[in-house]
Amino acid sequence: MPTAKDSSEVIVFAPATVANVACGYDVLGFAIDEPGDYIVARHADKPGLRITAITGDDGKLPLDPEKNTATVAALDLLHHLGMTDRGIEIEIHKRMPFGSGLGSSAASAVAGAYAVNKLIGEPLSKMQLLPFAMTGEASADGAWHADNVGPCLLGGIVFIRDNDELDVAQLPVPKNLWAAVVHPDIEILTKVAREILPKDIPLANATQQIGNLGGLLCGLIQSDYGLISRSIHDVIAEPRRQKLIPDFYKAKRAAMAAGALGFSISGAGPSVFALCEGKEIAEEAGEAIAKVFNAIPLSNQVHISPVNQKGVQVVDKIPELK
Amino acid sequence: MPTAKDSSEVIVFAPATVANVACGYDVLGFAIDEPGDYIVARHADKPGLRITAITGDDGKLPLDPEKNTATVAALDLLHHLGMTDRGIEIEIHKRMPFGSGLGSSAASAVAGAYAVNKLIGEPLSKMQLLPFAMTGEASADGAWHADNVGPCLLGGIVFIRDNDELDVAQLPVPKNLWAAVVHPDIEILTKVAREILPKDIPLANATQQIGNLGGLLCGLIQSDYGLISRSIHDVIAEPRRQKLIPDFYKAKRAAMAAGALGFSISGAGPSVFALCEGKEIAEEAGEAIAKVFNAIPLSNQVHISPVNQKGVQVVDKIPELK
């Protein structure tokens, strides 16, 4: 049992993620710098895993470790390691809205597994933590897809060849790729966003989507911004899910007019994202999108970020709430 | 009108191509070294484009330039250049079977456009010839997809993001990637092979296919043979089209047992291909596949080839028939 590298307490930050990325439904996602969730894990004398505090959840999250996404992931890890009798206390500090399309439950699950793994001396690598974080997220979401958990854990742009087999690959990130992510203050449950999708789609649409996903991957790998831009189209989920987001196409037009490479729904929504070449265009696109929501009026938060290449990480402290 | 670089006669060779490549239905194809079609183009005094000879077609191909795939492509090019009054004679030497799934009509169309372009001093680049070769192939096939014409023209592995826009990209070819392509002597019309496909497919299948296509592209770009192998699966066309090919799954098992990375139908079939790491495995896979067809018995031709990186090219002469 690893003890040498044990520390008494670790604080970790798990970032928000943009899943689907237009044409990559269930197979592509990337991490951004903020927002994200913080989790503190510390040793305790009393055996077993306990949640001692949750903040930022408006009282919505369960304190029962077997029901909370973060600790379901951590428990699955401890079970795998035969260490469920370890005394560990967990604090969860949610800094991301629920049902936002920013991978909130994925961030908690990743943070839970990663914090406990760190606390007990890091027996597993990040990649090895993937299935445990997935178990945590699936406990909240019901579905099994790694397009949030993958990039949240590993950082960068993550492509998932097969969700069942957890066959994932990190893609190189073009140097100047930025995102404007805007979260309008409405809630969409992933379940509802999934039910709005048809069970069958035209083969012609699948071929289009396959062409665009392939184009996006080639564009990302080869830093070809033109190809990236021509490829960011979703003919499957976006046309149906946009109905759940007020003035979606108006926001899209505004982002594209501001010079974005592409614009679509982040995960199941309601957050939207614009991929951009450079920080400046991302800021302009973010502003343009916010303006559309403000005019409704629909309050919203804008996040401008490069692709976060680190994923979940240990931090010194939890920053004060702004 | 370009004359300086005119030569009195050009002979070109256009190679066979493997389209679809399992998970890349209508969006991916690669060229092989042989078989292929030869076309001779030469200047003539009498204005207009004429076909003076066709060999290897068992009399099946039309001599009318407006009906022959090769000259439809060439005429479309000449029309674009405002040069339809040029006196040009064309000889077509088919060295590929019809309805073989090896891109026979694409090869003729590419050869026609390329030969005439060369003869008149090469006013257009290979990439610029793509739409004219496409017109030629569409005249035979009825469909508009560049996964044969693209690699036949450009060489290498070609990905087509969008067939309508002809947005194509050449992928890097892993150094030691070989193919065993086996053509059993039955004929499948592309039209029939298309009609066997459903109009709608389950979204879950589309997601699987998208994951595999993305994995295959990443694997090819990053020379990751493991990822290539895990990705070569077609859940859309192969399960339906395999019925048209006797003992398809037996041949697949034989190829995989011989060490192939993957095995599927070439284009619309009946040809099948095994992608392999190295010439030796490709030879073993080719032999194993042939053995399955021989046992039926079903005569067949085996072609062992690396990915042909040149595409259509000028040659000195037409080799003797073996």
Side-chain angles (χ1 to χ4, degrees):
Chain A
M1 199 178 289
T3 51
K5 284 190 281 173
D6 277 20
S7 50
S8 65
E9 178 182 292
V10 294
I11 308 171
V12 308
F13 170 75
T17 43
V18 172
N20 295 349
V21 197
C23 45
Y25 176 67
D26 274 2
V27 301
L28 197 65
F30 65 85
I32 56 176
D33 283 347
E34 53 94 31
D37 287 347
Y38 292 86
I39 279 191
V40 184
R42 64 176 69 91
H43 294 294
D45 291 332
K46 194 177 158 192
L49 188 74
R50 276 177 309 282
I51 301 173
T52 54
I54 305 178
T55 67
D57 70 327
D58 291 331
K60 284 182 187 166
L61 291 181
L63 278 159
D64 179 349
E66 295 196 1
K67 288 182 181 159
N68 187 298
T69 303
T71 42
V72 166
L75 281 172
D76 195 35
L77 168 66
L78 290 168
H79 184 76
H80 168 78
L81 295 170
M83 291 167 75
T84 43
D85 56 345
R86 272 286 187 114
I88 298 174
E89 290 177 359
I90 297 282
E91 284 176 20
I92 300 168
H93 302 282
K94 293 293 295 180
R95 294 285 173 90
M96 296 175 62
F98 297 107
S100 60
L102 294 171
S104 176
S105 59
S108 288
V110 165
Y114 186 75
V116 166
N117 186 58
K118 272 282 176 189
L119 186 74
I120 60 177
E122 211 165 356
L124 300 190
S125 69
K126 271 192 170 183
M127 191 60 99
Q128 288 174 320
L129 291 179
L130 185 56
F132 309 107
M134 288 288 288
T135 304
E137 201 212 358
S139 75
D141 176 305
W144 185 265
H145 52 96
D147 50 350
N148 288 112
V149 165
C152 179
L153 183 66
L154 304 170
I157 302 171
V158 172
F159 173 72
I160 298 102
R161 186 192 68 79
D162 189 292
N163 278 290
D164 294 345
E165 296 173 24
L166 289 179
D167 190 0
V168 309
Q170 262 183 306
L171 304 181
V173 178
K175 267 188 187 167
N176 211 15
L177 192 65
W178 283 68
V181 181
V182 183
H183 172 242
D185 285 328
I186 53 172
E187 187 172 339
I188 296 179
L189 293 174
T190 306
K191 199 167 163 284
V192 172
R194 288 200 170 252
E195 279 168 3
I196 213 171
L197 297 182
K199 278 193 179 161
D200 296 314
I201 60 167
L203 176 56
N205 278 7
T207 303
Q208 263 184 292
Q209 193 91 345
I210 285 171
N212 283 325
L213 183 274
L216 181 54
L217 293 189
C218 290
L220 290 170
I221 291 173
Q222 300 170 344
S223 287
D224 181 339
Y225 286 101
L227 183 53
I228 292 171
S229 185
R230 296 197 299 279
S231 304
I232 306 181
H233 301 290
D234 173 11
V235 298
I236 296 175
E238 184 183 297
R240 283 136 180 136
R241 289 182 168 173
Q242 54 82 18
K243 296 167 200 160
L244 304 173
I245 302 166
D247 276 350
F248 174 83
Y249 285 122
K250 209 182 244 186
K252 184 168 187 163
R253 282 195 300 275
M256 298 310 289
L261 299 165
F263 173 97
S264 192
I265 302 167
S266 176
S271 290
V272 293
F273 74 97
L275 268 185
C276 304
E277 187 179 355
K279 185 180 184 183
E280 207 169 294
I281 297 175
E283 284 173 342
E284 280 170 31
E287 206 173 304
I289 298 163
K291 204 172 160 188
V292 170
F293 289 140
N294 289 339
I296 292 177
L298 175 57
S299 64
N300 59 85
Q301 299 85 44
V302 179
H303 306 284
I304 306 297
S305 173
V307 174
N308 171 330
Q309 306 237 31
K310 290 180 184 161
V312 64
Q313 57 180 316
V314 170
V315 293
D316 293 335
K317 58 175 184 171
I318 302 172
E320 296 293 317
L321 277 173
K322 282 169 200 165
Chain B
M1 198 180 293
T3 51
K5 286 189 282 173
D6 277 20
S7 50
S8 65
E9 177 182 293
V10 294
I11 308 171
V12 308
F13 169 75
T17 43
V18 172
N20 294 348
V21 197
C23 45
Y25 176 67
D26 273 4
V27 301
L28 195 66
F30 65 86
I32 57 177
D33 282 347
E34 53 94 31
D37 287 347
Y38 292 85
I39 280 190
V40 184
R42 64 175 69 90
H43 293 294
D45 292 332
K46 193 176 159 192
L49 187 75
R50 274 176 311 282
I51 300 173
T52 54
I54 306 178
T55 67
D57 70 327
D58 291 332
K60 285 181 186 167
L61 291 181
L63 279 159
D64 179 348
E66 295 195 2
K67 289 182 181 159
N68 188 299
T69 302
T71 42
V72 167
L75 281 172
D76 196 35
L77 168 66
L78 291 167
H79 183 77
H80 168 80
L81 295 170
M83 292 168 75
T84 44
D85 58 345
R86 272 288 186 112
I88 297 175
E89 289 176 0
I90 297 283
E91 283 176 20
I92 300 167
H93 302 282
K94 293 292 294 180
R95 293 287 173 91
M96 294 175 62
F98 298 107
S100 60
L102 294 171
S104 176
S105 58
S108 287
V110 165
Y114 186 75
V116 166
N117 186 58
K118 272 282 175 188
L119 187 75
I120 60 176
E122 210 165 358
L124 299 191
S125 70
K126 269 192 172 185
M127 191 60 100
Q128 287 173 321
L129 291 179
L130 186 55
F132 309 109
M134 287 288 288
T135 304
E137 201 212 358
S139 74
D141 177 305
W144 184 266
H145 52 97
D147 50 349
N148 288 113
V149 164
C152 178
L153 183 66
L154 305 170
I157 302 172
V158 172
F159 173 72
I160 300 101
R161 188 192 66 79
D162 190 292
N163 278 291
D164 294 345
E165 296 173 24
L166 289 180
D167 189 0
V168 309
Q170 262 183 305
L171 303 181
V173 178
K175 265 188 186 167
N176 211 15
L177 192 65
W178 282 68
V181 181
V182 183
H183 172 243
D185 285 328
I186 53 173
E187 188 172 338
I188 296 179
L189 294 175
T190 306
K191 199 166 163 282
V192 172
R194 288 200 170 252
E195 279 167 2
I196 213 172
L197 297 184
K199 278 192 179 162
D200 296 313
I201 60 166
L203 175 56
N205 278 7
T207 303
Q208 263 183 292
Q209 193 92 345
I210 285 171
N212 283 324
L213 183 275
L216 181 54
L217 293 188
C218 290
L220 291 170
I221 291 173
Q222 300 170 344
S223 287
D224 180 338
Y225 286 101
L227 183 53
I228 291 172
S229 185
R230 296 197 299 279
S231 304
I232 305 181
H233 301 290
D234 173 11
V235 298
I236 297 176
E238 183 183 298
R240 283 135 180 137
R241 289 180 168 175
Q242 54 83 17
K243 296 167 201 160
L244 304 173
I245 302 166
D247 276 348
F248 174 83
Y249 285 122
K250 211 182 244 186
K252 183 168 188 164
R253 283 194 300 275
M256 297 311 287
L261 299 166
F263 174 97
S264 193
I265 303 166
S266 176
S271 289
V272 293
F273 73 98
L275 268 186
C276 305
E277 185 179 355
K279 184 181 184 184
E280 207 168 295
I281 297 175
E283 285 172 342
E284 281 170 30
E287 206 172 303
I289 298 163
K291 205 172 158 188
V292 170
F293 289 139
N294 289 339
I296 292 177
L298 174 58
S299 63
N300 59 85
Q301 298 85 45
V302 179
H303 307 283
I304 306 296
S305 172
V307 174
N308 171 329
Q309 306 237 32
K310 291 180 184 161
V312 64
Q313 58 180 314
V314 171
V315 293
D316 293 335
K317 58 176 185 172
I318 302 172
E320 297 293 317
L321 276 173
K322 283 168 198 166

